[in-house]
Amino acid sequence: MKPKWRVLVSAPYAMPALDWYRGRLAEAGCEMIVAPVQERLEEEQLLALLVDMDGLICGDDRITDRVLAAFPRLRVISKWGTGIDSIDQEACRRRGVTLCNTPNAFSEPVADTVLAYMLLTARQPDRLDAGVRSGAWPKTQLTTLGESTLGVIGVGNCGRAVIRRARAFGMTVLGFDSYPVPPDFLRDTATRMVGLEELLRSSDYISLHLTLSSETHQLINAERLALLRPTAYLINTARGPLVEEAALAAALAAGRLAGAALDVFEVEPLPASSPLRRLANCRLGAHHANSSPAAAWKVHENTVANLAPLLN
């Protein structure tokens, strides 16, 4: 039977499971076309690939109104994962394109990654290991998480998963969010909601868990970095443009901030020219804090489930 629908797959995390996608989409009457992609597709690349497509399984592709206007046949966009800030949602609504994602898909692995960064900073097992291997016997003064304060900016699903772990380590937790947080969660975790400036001034670790928007773009800029303690540590596993990278690199280089851990960046992959690459007090990830086989398969299943009924 000839397929009724054509679906472009451009999500990098879908690539290891293409045979599975091909089979599931074929069952739904869809022909699968695979896009050449490394991290994401930009507008011009999508304009060359979306011809005659009814559906799209995408990652963080730049899906603009111009892209949607060029392909009136496109009916469904199924985002692999949670974040949809790279997609013009208003244009989707206006043009009748259904946009789906998998909310709360990676809260647990991302929260594990945040705790790993904090433990690496507090207990420094990698640096102690390097010291012993080099012939030294380092007796570095370390801290515990229980004597530290964590500030969580964005107390949604992911932020709450981080807070639950932090409380298990005995940390004092401050939270900031523009949206209401369930009172029972705040009570059960002893989380105190404060203003952004108070959080930045009072925290030993600051972890970002916001979606990207015009309001949150470069929320952590030079002015706000100046509020942080010189012993503080900034962690970003959410979206790269939440942080003004040039200002962060300058603060780290000058010692106005003890360190940072970044899994996401303003430009990805991180350019070779980025000063962040040369800073020993900045840990770098490859937008991979969500890594988890169980979570990935949940998203595979949901991505197809979101797409197929709508096309049919």
Side-chain angles (χ1 to χ4, degrees):
M1 182 185 301
K2 184 178 179 180
K4 293 190 294 182
W5 315 107
R6 287 166 56 83
V7 176
L8 180 71
V9 177
S10 63
Y13 284 106
M15 298 303 161
L18 284 179
D19 288 343
W20 179 87
Y21 274 93
R22 186 173 287 105
R24 290 296 298 271
L25 290 170
E27 291 172 7
C30 300
E31 176 188 2
M32 184 180 82
I33 296 87
V34 180
V37 61
Q38 181 181 2
E39 190 71 22
R40 62 174 55 84
L41 297 179
E42 300 297 336
E43 188 180 53
E44 293 300 329
Q45 294 170 297
L46 286 165
L47 288 170
L49 290 168
L50 275 173
V51 178
D52 297 332
M53 296 297 164
D54 303 285
L56 171 63
I57 293 175
C58 67
D60 291 330
D61 301 340
R62 308 298 187 196
I63 302 172
T64 63
D65 185 50
R66 180 186 173 211
V67 169
L68 296 172
F71 303 106
R73 177 170 160 176
L74 187 68
R75 296 181 57 188
V76 186
I77 297 172
S78 187
K79 165 66 192 290
W80 197 100
T82 301
I84 52 175
D85 50 85
S86 64
I87 302 170
D88 189 330
Q89 298 163 59
E90 173 55 35
C92 286
R93 286 188 288 270
R94 189 172 65 253
R95 297 186 180 281
V97 177
T98 300
L99 174 60
C100 308
N101 65 341
T102 304
N104 198 22
F106 298 111
S107 297
E108 300 305 315
V110 169
D112 283 359
T113 300
V114 173
L115 263 291
Y117 281 136
M118 289 197 291
L119 284 167
L120 279 170
T121 303
R123 307 309 298 168
Q124 300 184 25
D126 53 343
R127 289 168 184 162
L128 292 171
D129 174 81
V132 172
R133 291 178 186 278
S134 69
W137 195 249
K139 296 291 187 179
T140 305
Q141 181 62 51
L142 305 174
T143 62
T144 69
L145 293 186
E147 59 194 289
S148 304
T149 296
L150 168 65
V152 176
I153 301 177
V155 191
N157 290 319
C158 198
R160 292 175 209 171
V162 170
I163 289 172
R164 286 192 290 270
R165 286 160 172 76
R167 287 297 298 155
F169 279 87
M171 299 186 80
T172 299
V173 179
L174 305 177
F176 169 79
D177 206 307
S178 300
Y179 298 93
V181 180
D184 56 343
F185 174 83
L186 299 177
R187 182 188 64 249
D188 294 345
T189 59
T191 300
R192 184 164 66 92
M193 299 299 289
V194 297
L196 180 58
E197 287 195 6
E198 181 179 348
L199 183 148
L200 294 173
R201 292 182 188 277
S202 305
S203 300
D204 300 297
Y205 298 90
I206 297 96
S207 190
L208 304 181
H209 300 284
L210 296 170
T211 57
L212 182 62
S213 67
S214 57
E215 290 77 24
T216 62
H217 183 263
Q218 293 193 346
L219 180 77
I220 305 301
N221 53 24
E223 180 181 357
R224 291 196 170 107
L225 286 167
L227 301 175
L228 272 62
R229 300 171 176 178
T231 55
Y233 200 83
L234 178 69
I235 303 169
N236 187 12
T237 56
R239 282 291 188 253
L242 296 175
V243 177
E244 185 184 354
E245 284 181 13
L248 175 61
L252 290 169
R256 298 194 300 272
L257 182 64
L262 308 174
D263 187 60
V264 288
F265 305 92
E266 290 182 304
V267 176
E268 296 178 359
L270 183 66
S273 60
S274 171
L276 295 171
R277 288 178 175 265
R278 300 186 291 275
L279 293 168
N281 57 347
C282 187
R283 299 181 188 274
L284 306 175
H287 201 148
H288 201 49
N290 62 350
S291 180
S292 160
W297 275 108
K298 174 184 175 182
V299 176
H300 291 327
E301 293 278 1
N302 202 56
T303 299
V304 172
N306 282 340
L307 183 83
L310 293 166
L311 290 177
N312 283 301

